[in-house]
Each structure stands twice: as structure tokens, then as C-alpha cells.
Amino acid sequence: MTNSTNSNLHESFMSSNNDLLDNERAQRTRKYLILAITSTVCSASAYDAAMSQESELDRAQRYVIVAPSLIAVVCACQFLLCLQKQIYHIVSQMWLGGLISIATFGICMATLVITMHSESSWAVNSIGEIQAANLYYFVWASIFTAGLQMASYLDKFIGLKSEDYTTAIWLAVGKVCFVILGGGYHIWHNISSTCTLEDIRSRTVTFCSRTILAIAVSFTGMIVTSLITCIRVLFSLRCSESMVRPRAHLEMVVSLFLVLLFGVALALITGIGGPGESVGDLFYGSWLAFLISIVLVKTCFQEIRQVDA
């Protein structure tokens, strides 16, 4: 009787593991396919822009054509390998699939930075307004998908809890602040020669002062979210129950501060005469930061209710 029970438990355990592995394989297969498609569109859009350019291509422009093509080929190969259940056991390993996903994310990040912030960018102009929509949106789609794919390997390798949504939201705020910082610096780099010290010191709200505000707000958001994320990770490793309540209330106060900060910044950055008035990184980033911070307040409030219960 005992042997039969143990056998049934073993079969149930193996069946559960196989179901989890099949689900993981299906998700990663879809991500590889999506990344291959988005990278192909990026490369094709860049090539289309290059064909309409009369001057010789510079190094940054060549990179934007070649790098997505390379990613598309690699991800297409990974997609085909994931279709085979036996081969997927090799692809799922950190030393192969994980390293490829990290390298892919790094290449996508470099492509994003060059596409959005180089002087010869086809995607945006000198003040961040979108010029080539296909290139702009599909570069973002590529980096987003590559990030999710890399996270699927790192979460399993490090052993992070998939249900820790609050940490993921804090990280999301930090990532959006990085986008705002990049967009703000790109605009400042192109207008700094026309801005005077009087424009910055004056009490009037000018385009120059709003651009500086975007950089300052995003930098503040990155520092705050990085500190909170580190605190959450350290607390989860030490499992200190006595500090859970103070930490939850601290996060609530900080999240409310971010809502106020991003709300004011949103009005000044995306309002008439602001650097994010037109659709671009600053426009999307400012709205996302504000909306995600509201979600963060709600999540922190729910954590406090659970702790105080």
C-alpha cells in the first residue's frame, strides 16, 4: 500500500514538473518568435531609411541595420530549437539560453540608445519627436521582449519569487525613469547651446528649465527606486519579520512622494511649451511614470493591509 502511494506521488510530481516545463517552453518559444519578428521590422525600417538617405551612412546607422538582423537570425534559430522538446532541455540551460538572452538584451539596449539618441538618428529628431514610427515602436518592442526573455532565465537561475509583484513595479518605475533621463538628456544635448544661465535662474517656466526638470526628476526616481529595490531584496534574503511593517509604511510614503513628483513633472514636461509636448520618449515616459506610480501606491497600500491584518 505504501509503495503504491509513493509511486502515485512520484508520478504526480513528475507530471507537475513536465507541465511547468511545457508551459515555460511555450512562453519562451513565443518570445523568441516575437523578438525575431520585431527585430526584422527594425532592420527593415532602418534599411528603408538608409535607402532614402543621400549621404553616406555613419557607424551608428550601420549598427542599427546590422544588429537587429543578427538578433532576428539568432532568435529564429532559438525558436526552432524550442519547438523540439528534447532539444529544449539544452536551450533552457543558463549557460546557453540564458547567456544568449543576456547578450540579446545588451545588443537591443545598445540599439535603443543609438536609435533614440544619436545625432544621425532616423527614429527621432533633435528634440525627441518621432520621425520613423516603425523603427521607433519596434525598437521598443524588441527591448521589452528581450528584457522579459532575459528575466525568465535570471528569475529561475537566482531563484526570485514570481509572486513578488511589488518589486517588479518598483523596477518598472526605475526603468521608465531611465527612459525619461535618456530623452531629457538627448534634448538638452541639442538645445544647451541656446539656453542661457538667465533662462535657468529666472522664475519663468521655459523650455530649457523644463528639460532640466525632466532630467532631475528622472534621476531622483532612479535613485529612489534603486534604494527601495535593494532594501526589498535584502529584507527578503534576511527574512526579518520585525522589519516588514516599517518597510511597508516607508514604501507607502515614498510611493506617495513619487505620485506627487511625477504628477507635477507630467504637467510641466508634457504641457504646452514643454519638451514632452510632442509624442516621443518624454511624452510616453512621463505618462507611464505617473500611471505606474499610482499602481505602486495601490500595491503598497494592499501590502500594509496584509501586514497589519
Side-chain angles (χ1 to χ4, degrees), residues 42-54:
C42 285
S43 183
S45 301
Y47 179 77
D48 185 43
M51 293 299 293
S52 61
Q53 179 175 300
E54 296 180 358

Side-chain angles (χ1 to χ4, degrees), residues 14 21 26 30-31 45 47 53 61 83 95 110-111 143 196 198 200 215 222 230 235 282 292 294 309:
M14 292 299 296
L21 189 62
R30 285 194 294 269
K31 290 188 185 78
S45 301
Y47 179 77
Q53 179 175 300
Q61 291 172 331
L83 293 177
W95 60 268
T111 305
I143 189 69
T196 63
E198 194 63 31
I200 301 171
I215 296 173
M222 288 175 62
C230 290
F235 274 51
L282 277 184
I292 296 175
I294 293 176

Side-chain angles (χ1 to χ4, degrees), residues 105-155:
F105 180 79
I107 296 172
C108 286
M109 178 61 74
T111 305
L112 175 70
V113 173
I114 292 173
T115 301
M116 303 301 171
H117 305 304
S118 65
E119 295 181 358
S120 58
S121 172
W122 289 311
V124 296
N125 60 16
S126 60
I127 58 172
E129 296 174 335
I130 299 174
Q131 296 184 132
N134 279 342
L135 183 58
Y136 179 90
Y137 288 111
F138 279 94
V139 163
W140 274 114
S142 296
I143 189 69
F144 181 74
T145 308
L148 291 177
Q149 190 72 294
M150 180 180 69
S152 71
Y153 283 96
L154 292 179
D155 287 351

Side-chain angles (χ1 to χ4, degrees), residues 38 51 69 88 130 134 185 189 222 229 233 237 283:
T38 56
M51 293 299 293
S69 302
Y88 175 72
I130 299 174
N134 279 342
Y185 178 77
H189 177 73
M222 288 175 62
T229 302
V233 172
L237 292 175
F283 177 84

